[in-house]
Amino acid sequence: MYLHHLTVQAFGPFARTEAVDFDALASNGLFLLRGDTGAGKTSILDAVCFALYGTVPGIRPTHRLRSDHAPTGTRTQIILEFSAAGRRLKITRKPRQSYPSTRAKTGTATAEATVELHQQTSTPDGAAKWEPVSANHQDTAREIEAALGLSKEQFCQVVLLPQGDFATFLRSDAKDRAVLLRRLFDTGRFQELQAWLTNRSKAAQEDLNEVTSTLQQLGERIHQEAGPLLHQEGTGAEEPSRPHPQHPADILPWAQHLSARAQSAHATAVADEQRSDIEHQNAKTEHQRTIELANHQTQHAQAQARRAALDDKAADHPRLRSQLDAGRRAEQLRPLLDTVKRTALTLGAANNAEEDARLLLPDEHRDTSVPQLRDALEQHHAEKGRAEGLLPDEQQHTQLGVQITDLNAKEEQARADLEEDEQWLTAWPALEAEHTGRLADMTKAADQVPQHEQDIQTLNAHLKAARLRDTLSGKLVSAAKTETDRAAEALETKRLWLDLRERRLDGMAGELADELADGTPCSVCGSPDHPQPAQRQPDQPTREDEEKACTLHEQADTLHAQASSHRHGLATQHAEASGAAGPTPSDELKAQLTKVKKAYRGACEAAAALPSAQETLTRLRTEHDTRTQQCQAAQARVTECQARTKTLAQQQTALAHTLAAARGTATTLDERITELSRTAQNLSGAIDAAQKAAEAAARHRDATTTATTTAHDAGFPTLDQATAALQDPALLEQWSQELDQWGKDDAVVTDLLKTPTLLEAGPQPPADPQAAAKALTEAEERAKKTAADRQQADHRVTALTDLISTLKARLSDLEPLQARHALADRLASIASATTTANTLSMELEAYVLAARLEEIADAANIRLQAMTSERYLLQHTADKDAGRRGRLKSGLGLRILDTWTGTERETSTLSGGETFTASLALALGLADVVTQEASGRPLGTLFIDEGFGTLDEQNLQEVMDVLDQLRAGNRAVGIVSHVAELSRRIPSQLNVMKHRNGSTLRPLINTDL
């Protein structure tokens, strides 16, 4: 993969559009990205990663990629041209971002993230052009990963080499190394394989358990089915016992033996069933014959009894036939007799109704004739009409009463309002004076607020100065004491120094004599002979003693000068503080300040309440004007209500006299109209009832005459005799049917007594059906039992045959399942490192990761030896990590071998430069292995981020030699660093310059430096 051109716009620290020509920059194969800290060197790498994968390295969110320096109208976008897998591609990517919009309610709208991928092709005439490949995130991601052969994590580790991460990887423990390697080499499939093997072993165990359980269940069912056979008498000692559950293969012989016994029991049951069927048929035939004989004997006895009963009934037949004849003649008169009865009832009801209707009438109309009743009805109708005509006057009378009541209420309310307003107006002068005085007090207090503020400021300054004065007073006393002590110390050290100097001068001859040597001239007389040199006094001070005493004196004098200067400074500050504070004590100033602050708060509260008080006074004055007007209006309403009430009362009195005459004894006209209507209705009812009673009497006379004539013709002298002979038609029909039925029964019984079978059964002994039924029941029970035994034997033989067949099938599955489970369990235990067969004590994924780490270490050592003059080698170790629990090993240990001394040590013991060299070699080795693992495609462009500042001159030269080797095969290597030495060694550079309004890029190619 080769980078050609990068364009960033409003991205990260770059406010506007910046471009990088990697073809020109990497023309020498090695280039440098340099700039100040925070300028945006790493943002170039972020832009490359974002263009390819839509995200940046690490966990930074994509919605924070836009430059804070960029103009609001400039959209953030990245354009990257690169070559990979024989294709030249261009990708344009824009993150999700907000932009100004006049249509949006908030003034800003959000544009979703977009991506466009193009591929460069050639036209027929040889010109290059860009053809679109995809324009959505999913398709673009697939195209990028297919072209590069690397995921985003792999790309960030093998193309953008993060030295800090690999230094951490170098020193980290096996657990942290496993996280990175698992992500880069996608070894999750080995975890899945290990889990699959474990699940496969469990599934095989479950299948084996299922077959074993099925065999045990089949044995249990065979034992249940053959249960009665196991308890039969005659079972020999050679009978096989039930197999143990741990030996399922022994179930088959035992089951076959039980099946043979079941076949024998089945044959015996069939013979018993056939014998009981014959006995049951014979008992059934005898029971049928006994039932028939008993029935014939019963019929013969019943026929003789019926003959005697028919003879008893024949004695009453003449009387019954006479009553039947009279009843049939009277039945012909039934309609006429019913009519006479019905008209008599109607006449009685009509007379009762007329009597009831007259009882509802007034006493003067109860005994009058129908014409008189009609006249009274007409009079009531006329009086009702007059009352109905006066209904509007009654309604008006009521309305006048309501109006008068309403006027009285209004007059009362007006008087109450008038009284309230007059009381308020009476209290107004005092209320106005109270609020006016309060307002004046508040105004005066508000005017004093500035003076109080000035007093508080002045007192605060005085109090601060007084507190400083008091503090400085104590310090000044202490400083004066210190100055006195330092002066005494300076005098004492000076005295000691001068005394020591004087003593040295007194013994100077002895000091000079100590310096004399034979042949050396004396520094005083010049003689080389020293016959009697002076002797040093025992306590003779030396030059060092004098110089030391002098030094102590000078130090003490300096301390005295410093203490004096400090005291003078404190005295000056104290004088200034005293002048500012005055003579007043601090406590008194504090009390004055508290008093002024209290007065200030009161004045502020009064000033704050002043607008409210002014508003209240204005409102009260407005209310005074309003109540004055309300008082006048209330007085006018009282006068008006009194005048209208008087007029309406006169109209109401006139209507009351007219209505009283029309009502009579009733309370209202409606009651009077109701009373007249009710009386008129009673008169009309009485008239109708009298007419209906007369009509009913006429119809009853006609019916009686017709019925009497017809009864004489039918042979009845009177209607009472005809009525007495009249019978219920059903009873007459019953008598007729009884006579007819007797004749029929007489003929049937006579023929029945002549039947031969009854004549033959009569003389025989009585039959016993119960004994025959009991014998039949016993035979049926025996037949049912033998049939049930035969069915049970059938079921047992069938069940045992089916179970043995199933048993054979499941036994055929047992051996393959046992072999499959043994193989799966062995593989799973080896992959999970739970068996001693796994001699490495490493799980499958750990083994693969260890192999990958070993490959990385081998690849890294090629460059590490070149960068360290063949001193260091990375050693992969599979030893168990310190502190790791259990027997499992990670296989991800790394140690450093010093070939100069032949000793191994921990990677954490490397120095800073050695750590950088080892981590760089490790990063390059990892890049080689990951690239080979992912796609095997060469990496044309490589970036190395920081760490060169920890190298000395020799190490830096060795690292640069290795980087020069990386350029082989047309590979470009970019170094991200701000080390000055690299800027002198690498001619091609991209300078990232930091400004207040955003960073810019400046490429420096060879001579541009």
Side-chain angles (χ1 to χ4, degrees):
M1 190 272 291
Y2 295 92
L3 301 181
H4 298 299
H5 194 274
L6 174 67
T7 302
V8 297
Q9 177 176 292
F11 180 85
F14 306 108
R16 291 175 174 76
T17 303
E18 302 292 337
V20 181
D21 187 353
F22 286 106
D23 290 336
L25 190 64
S27 58
N28 292 330
L30 191 62
F31 61 93
L32 175 67
L33 272 68
R34 67 186 183 92
D36 297 336
T37 301
K41 300 186 295 298
T42 306
S43 295
I44 300 295
L45 310 184
D46 291 345
V48 172
C49 184
F50 176 73
L52 293 174
Y53 296 99
T55 59
V56 296
I59 58 174
R60 283 168 289 178
T62 56
H63 66 272
R64 288 295 302 151
L65 299 180
R66 177 173 173 79
S67 175
D68 295 331
H69 302 286
T72 56
T74 303
R75 298 286 295 277
T76 300
Q77 71 172 2
I78 307 294
I79 303 175
L80 176 65
E81 294 183 27
F82 64 98
S83 296
R87 304 164 64 189
R88 180 157 181 155
L89 302 171
K90 180 176 71 173
I91 185 168
T92 303
R93 196 181 291 272
K94 298 177 182 178
R96 188 174 186 267
Q97 53 192 301
S98 300
Y99 63 91
S101 175
T102 57
R103 296 183 179 180
K105 294 182 180 180
T106 59
T108 59
T110 300
E112 296 299 327
T114 61
V115 64
E116 296 177 2
L117 181 64
H118 293 77
Q119 180 175 346
Q120 190 180 73
T121 59
S122 299
T123 60
D125 58 359
K129 67 173 183 177
W130 293 103
E131 291 289 343
V133 177
S134 64
N136 64 71
H137 297 282
Q138 291 79 8
D139 293 343
T140 301
R142 285 192 291 269
E143 290 287 342
I144 293 296
E145 189 160 352
L148 300 182
L150 297 172
S151 65
K152 179 227 174 181
E153 288 77 10
Q154 292 173 331
F155 179 85
C156 293
Q157 295 295 335
V158 303
V159 178
L160 311 178
L161 297 181
Q163 292 303 297
D165 290 351
F166 277 95
T168 303
F169 178 80
L170 185 65
R171 295 190 178 98
S172 60
D173 57 14
K175 181 179 179 182
D176 295 333
R177 289 182 184 136
V179 173
L180 174 62
L181 295 176
R182 186 180 295 118
R183 186 171 67 248
L184 291 178
F185 292 105
D186 190 23
T187 56
R189 61 186 183 277
F190 296 102
Q191 277 188 332
E192 294 173 359
L193 175 59
Q194 179 179 331
W196 182 84
L197 289 172
T198 301
N199 294 334
R200 186 67 174 173
S201 174
K202 292 180 180 178
Q205 180 66 54
E206 291 176 358
D207 294 342
L208 181 60
N209 292 340
E210 181 182 359
V211 171
T212 304
S213 177
T214 302
L215 292 174
Q216 293 176 359
Q217 292 175 3
L218 288 173
E220 183 65 30
R221 290 183 58 189
I222 290 172
H223 183 270
Q224 291 177 356
E225 294 293 343
L229 297 175
L230 301 176
H231 300 90
Q232 289 180 357
E233 296 181 359
T235 302
E238 69 279 1
E239 291 292 333
S241 60
R242 181 177 177 181
H244 193 275
Q246 299 298 329
H247 303 88
D250 297 338
I251 298 177
L252 183 58
W254 173 69
Q256 291 174 339
H257 173 76
L258 292 179
S259 177
R261 291 187 59 188
Q263 294 285 353
S264 176
H266 176 263
T268 302
V270 170
D272 292 343
E273 182 184 20
Q274 292 175 351
R275 184 172 58 255
S276 63
D277 286 343
I278 295 172
E279 294 175 355
H280 174 259
Q281 190 63 36
N282 294 335
K284 186 176 181 181
T285 302
E286 178 62 22
H287 178 262
Q288 183 66 30
R289 188 193 67 77
T290 304
I291 292 297
E292 290 178 356
L293 177 60
N295 289 338
H296 291 161
Q297 289 177 346
T298 301
Q299 290 177 1
H300 183 266
Q302 291 176 349
Q304 288 181 338
R306 290 177 65 188
R307 176 76 274 170
L310 289 173
D311 293 341
D312 292 339
K313 289 182 178 179
D316 194 40
H317 282 178
R319 182 189 60 78
L320 187 61
R321 287 190 175 90
S322 175
Q323 290 181 350
L324 178 61
D325 178 63
R328 287 175 174 173
R329 287 185 288 109
E331 185 65 26
Q332 296 177 358
L333 300 176
R334 182 181 292 276
L336 296 177
L337 295 176
D338 290 343
T339 301
V340 172
K341 183 177 180 182
R342 185 170 57 255
T343 56
L345 293 175
T346 303
L347 176 60
N351 291 333
N352 292 334
E354 180 183 6
E355 183 178 357
D356 293 339
R358 286 183 178 273
L359 289 176
L360 298 175
L361 298 178
D363 294 340
E364 65 271 17
H365 298 305
R366 288 182 180 176
D367 298 328
T368 57
S369 62
V370 172
Q372 292 175 340
L373 292 176
R374 288 196 177 95
D375 293 340
L377 180 62
E378 291 296 333
Q379 292 177 0
H380 279 76
H381 282 316
E383 187 175 355
K384 177 183 176 184
R386 288 194 298 274
E388 289 176 347
L390 292 175
L391 283 175
D393 292 342
E394 186 181 41
Q395 188 175 12
Q396 182 182 3
H397 179 270
T398 303
Q399 292 176 351
L400 289 173
V402 172
Q403 292 177 1
I404 291 172
T405 302
D406 184 49
L407 287 173
N408 290 334
K410 289 181 178 180
E411 179 183 358
E412 184 177 356
Q413 182 61 43
R415 290 184 181 279
D417 294 343
L418 178 62
E419 182 179 357
E420 181 185 357
D421 291 338
E422 286 177 347
Q423 290 178 355
W424 194 92
L425 291 174
T426 301
W428 164 245
L431 185 62
E432 181 181 22
E434 177 185 354
H435 281 276
T436 301
R438 187 183 304 167
L439 185 62
D441 295 340
M442 290 181 179
T443 303
K444 181 178 179 182
D447 293 340
Q448 294 175 352
V449 169
Q451 182 61 39
H452 289 321
E453 292 177 345
Q454 184 177 358
D455 293 344
I456 291 173
Q457 184 177 2
T458 301
L459 286 173
N460 274 328
H462 288 175
L463 181 58
K464 181 178 180 182
R467 288 173 176 170
L468 179 60
R469 177 197 63 196
D470 297 342
T471 302
L472 292 175
S473 296
K475 291 182 178 181
L476 187 58
V477 172
S478 176
K481 184 178 183 301
T482 301
E483 181 184 12
T484 302
D485 294 341
R486 292 291 181 268
E489 291 175 0
L491 290 174
E492 179 63 19
T493 55
K494 183 177 181 181
R495 184 189 65 78
L496 293 175
W497 168 55
L498 293 176
D499 182 61
L500 191 63
R501 180 180 179 84
E502 183 178 357
R503 288 170 54 204
R504 182 188 171 206
L505 291 176
D506 291 342
M508 184 60 68
E511 181 177 344
L512 292 175
D514 289 340
E515 298 176 358
L516 295 177
D518 293 338
T520 302
C522 177
S523 60
V524 177
C525 66
S527 174
D529 298 325
H530 316 293
Q532 293 182 346
Q535 297 298 319
R536 177 185 291 271
Q537 299 296 327
D539 57 348
Q540 173 70 28
T542 63
R543 179 189 300 273
E544 290 78 9
D545 293 337
E546 181 184 357
E547 290 177 353
K548 183 177 180 181
C550 181
T551 300
L552 291 175
H553 165 64
E554 291 174 352
Q555 291 176 350
D557 194 49
T558 300
L559 292 175
H560 172 251
Q562 292 176 351
S564 177
S565 175
H566 179 60
R567 185 189 65 78
H568 285 298
L570 290 177
T572 302
Q573 295 177 12
H574 181 267
E576 292 175 353
S578 298
T584 307
S586 299
D587 294 340
E588 185 176 346
L589 288 173
K590 183 177 179 181
Q592 292 177 4
L593 179 61
T594 302
K595 180 178 180 181
V596 172
K597 284 183 177 179
K598 182 177 180 181
Y600 172 70
R601 286 195 296 271
C604 289
E605 292 174 357
L610 183 59
S612 176
Q614 291 174 341
E615 182 181 353
T616 301
L617 181 59
T618 302
R619 179 179 55 78
L620 289 174
R621 287 175 176 170
T622 302
E623 185 177 1
H624 171 263
D625 297 338
T626 302
R627 285 188 178 273
T628 301
Q629 296 175 1
Q630 290 176 352
C631 186
Q632 296 173 357
Q635 184 62 49
R637 289 202 307 273
V638 170
T639 303
E640 182 182 1
C641 289
Q642 289 176 348
R644 291 188 60 190
T645 300
K646 182 176 181 181
T647 302
L648 294 177
Q650 293 174 354
Q651 296 177 4
Q652 188 181 34
T653 302
L655 290 174
H657 292 297
T658 303
L659 293 174
R663 290 173 185 153
T665 58
T667 305
T668 63
L669 287 178
D670 288 336
E671 292 182 3
R672 179 57 179 168
I673 292 171
T674 301
E675 180 181 345
L676 292 175
S677 298
R678 185 168 56 252
T679 303
Q681 183 178 2
N682 292 338
L683 289 173
S684 178
I687 293 172
D688 293 340
Q691 291 177 349
K692 290 179 180 180
E695 294 173 356
R699 287 195 296 272
H700 179 65
R701 287 194 299 272
D702 295 339
T704 302
T705 302
T706 302
T708 301
T709 302
T710 305
H712 289 166
D713 295 339
F716 294 104
T718 63
L719 289 179
D720 293 337
Q721 291 179 353
T723 301
L726 192 63
Q727 300 292 338
D728 186 6
L731 181 61
L732 295 177
E733 181 66 21
Q734 179 182 350
W735 290 346
S736 177
Q737 290 179 357
E738 286 180 359
L739 293 173
D740 294 341
Q741 186 63 38
W742 185 89
K744 294 177 182 179
D745 291 343
D746 180 69
V748 169
V749 170
T750 301
D751 292 340
L752 186 61
L753 289 175
K754 295 178 181 180
T755 302
T757 55
L758 298 183
L759 293 174
E760 181 182 357
Q764 294 185 16
D768 190 359
Q770 292 182 354
K774 181 178 180 181
L776 178 60
T777 301
E778 292 175 353
E780 286 178 348
E781 291 296 332
R782 288 193 297 275
K784 288 179 181 180
K785 182 178 183 303
T786 56
D789 292 342
R790 194 265 310 161
Q791 290 178 356
Q792 186 176 6
D794 287 345
H795 172 75
R796 185 182 301 111
V797 170
T798 302
L800 289 175
T801 302
D802 294 341
L803 290 172
I804 290 173
S805 177
T806 304
L807 179 64
K808 292 178 179 179
R810 301 308 289 173
L811 284 173
S812 65
D813 297 337
L814 181 62
E815 185 174 354
L817 283 176
Q818 289 174 336
R820 186 162 64 249
H821 170 258
L823 176 61
D825 184 62
R826 175 176 173 78
L827 292 176
S829 60
I830 292 175
S832 302
T834 58
T835 177
T836 56
N838 187 333
T839 58
L840 297 177
S841 298
M842 295 170 60
E843 294 183 344
L844 179 60
E845 186 192 21
Y847 175 76
V848 174
L849 291 177
R852 288 289 184 261
L853 183 59
E854 189 172 3
E855 293 177 5
I856 293 170
D858 292 341
N861 283 332
I862 297 174
R863 297 184 176 89
L864 181 58
Q865 283 191 306
M867 288 188 288
T868 61
S869 300
E870 299 187 354
R871 176 179 181 182
Y872 292 118
L873 284 175
L874 286 171
Q875 292 289 335
H876 167 254
T877 176
D879 294 339
K880 180 180 176 183
D881 295 341
R884 183 182 178 94
R885 296 183 178 180
R887 57 180 296 273
L888 297 181
K889 299 178 181 179
S890 65
L892 299 179
L894 277 179
R895 295 176 65 83
I896 197 76
L897 172 63
D898 189 343
T899 60
W900 291 3
T901 62
T903 59
E904 287 188 7
R905 52 194 175 101
E906 297 294 335
T907 56
S908 59
T909 62
L910 294 174
S911 65
E914 291 171 342
T915 299
F916 167 75
T917 304
S919 48
L920 176 60
L922 189 63
L924 295 173
L926 178 64
D928 293 341
V929 176
V930 171
T931 303
Q932 187 64 33
E933 170 74 14
S935 62
R937 297 168 188 158
L939 297 177
T941 305
L942 193 67
F943 291 93
I944 302 175
D945 191 0
E946 286 299 346
F948 294 89
T950 60
L951 302 178
D952 57 23
E953 183 68 23
Q954 181 180 355
N955 290 138
L956 180 60
Q957 182 59 47
E958 292 172 347
V959 170
M960 292 300 296
D961 292 340
V962 172
L963 296 181
D964 284 337
Q965 296 173 10
L966 292 177
R967 294 187 290 176
N970 198 25
R971 177 184 289 177
V973 179
I975 298 176
V976 182
S977 179
H978 55 266
V979 176
E981 180 62 24
L982 290 177
S983 65
R984 291 191 294 271
R985 289 174 176 265
I986 303 175
S988 297
Q989 302 177 14
L990 179 63
N991 191 9
V992 184
M993 295 177 290
K994 181 168 60 175
H995 308 285
R996 292 180 60 85
N997 56 353
S999 297
T1000 58
L1001 298 177
R1002 180 188 175 194
L1004 304 174
I1005 310 299
N1006 296 334
T1007 56
D1008 293 343
L1009 293 172

